[in-house]
Amino acid sequence: MRVGVVLLPADPWPETVARAQRIDALGYDHLWTYDHLSWRRYRDHEWHATIPWLTGVAAATRSVRIGTMVASPNFRHPVTLAKDAMTIDHVSGGRLELGVGAGGIGFDATVLGGEVLSPRRRVDRLREFVEVLDRLLREPVTSHRGVFYTVDEARMVPGCVQRPRVPLAIAATGPRTLALAARLGDAWITLGDRERPDPTPDETEQAVRAQLHRLEDACASLGRDPTEIRRIYMIDNTGERPIASVAAFEDFVGRYRALGFTDVVFHHPRPDDSVWDDPEEVVEQIATDVLPRLA
């Protein structure tokens, strides 16, 4: 079981660098940030751009993998995102994970004046987005004409450090996005039960178990071994506080490892945010007491 941390791009840069370097030194496996132009209750808070933020973190760290949780087609084009991802892969020495998702209906969907798409159309767009990204990151020259995107001989030279391309981690909860993860994903990301506003731990596990079965069924229909796809649980939408203590975290990780997850990710505590105001020292305690046993 691998463990990662989400850092919001919402702090002064020296604090971000120090925190990222500490996460790296503690032995965490991956470090993620949100890909938004601004976000919910942080709308009027300082909020830095994702790609420069990740580039700086890549240059400041040594071994921790870094990634987007998750890049959104609401304001990303596959050509520019692929070029950015290729470049960060070089800056980091091959440590980038490109998380992608369908995008929501909030500020990011309206800030550029575009149409707010229905859930079905957002999934249609995500499918084309991922298909084009997959080609761009694999091939030196790509052209494409689709419903949502046009690409005319885009160059991707020298290509990614990681071969055949940067890994794609696809956020998915429904049948169509899970089928996409089964077809093109190197990893699958879930936040659990997205249907209920405040699910209990049992309801979350039940929802996740159903998602896992759909992913496995989609893999079977493609003739793909489902164990080829890493399974990342992003701790967020759950009625418990898994990082309130080391014991709570260890119990949570044990349950999700038993479900078949290969990775879990938690938000770094933020004392000024009631959603994530767990004790900051738990990050150090998990690294000392839990990570060696999980490895």
Side-chain angles (χ1 to χ4, degrees), residues 2-50:
R2 292 175 287 269
V3 180
V5 181
V6 171
L7 289 182
L8 300 188
D11 296 307
W13 184 243
E15 291 180 22
T16 294
V17 169
R19 193 165 286 135
Q21 289 176 334
R22 186 58 183 159
I23 289 168
D24 189 20
L26 286 169
Y28 282 94
D29 295 284
H30 26 77
L31 189 162
W32 308 79
T33 199
Y34 282 177
D35 189 35
H36 293 289
L37 297 176
S38 68
W39 183 72
R40 296 183 187 176
R41 58 191 178 275
Y42 286 80
R43 178 82 177 266
D44 295 314
H45 194 289
E46 64 180 85
W47 189 273
H48 299 289
T50 303

Side-chain angles (χ1 to χ4, degrees), residues 112-132:
L112 299 181
E115 175 189 2
V116 177
L117 303 180
S118 68
R120 172 165 288 276
R121 291 280 284 167
R122 291 202 302 275
V123 173
D124 291 341
R125 181 181 63 179
L126 176 66
R127 181 171 59 191
E128 186 176 338
F129 186 75
V130 173
E131 289 170 349
V132 177

Side-chain angles (χ1 to χ4, degrees), residues 90-108:
H90 282 265
V91 173
S92 67
R95 291 185 283 128
L96 181 67
E97 305 264 346
L98 187 57
V100 296
I105 59 173
F107 172 77
D108 289 343

Side-chain angles (χ1 to χ4, degrees), residues 4 49 66 75 78 105 191 201 213 215 221 226 248 253 270 278:
I66 56 174
F75 58 92
I105 59 173
L191 284 79
H213 289 325
L215 180 70
S221 70
V253 166
R270 299 186 65 85
D278 297 296

Side-chain angles (χ1 to χ4, degrees), residues 175-218:
R176 295 175 67 214
T177 50
L178 286 163
L180 180 65
R183 181 161 62 93
L184 292 175
D186 301 284
W188 162 55
I189 300 169
T190 182
L191 284 79
D193 189 351
R194 306 297 287 170
E195 301 300 320
R196 297 178 177 87
D198 190 21
T200 66
D202 286 344
E203 288 170 339
T204 298
E205 287 190 34
Q206 183 179 359
V208 167
R209 192 175 284 108
Q211 293 166 15
L212 278 165
H213 289 325
R214 290 194 192 103
L215 180 70
E216 290 166 352
D217 288 345

Side-chain angles (χ1 to χ4, degrees), residues 152-168:
D152 184 16
E153 294 191 1
R155 261 58 175 181
M156 206 62 56
V157 180
C160 301
V161 173
Q162 300 174 86
R163 297 294 180 174
R165 56 154 168 72
V166 164
L168 293 177

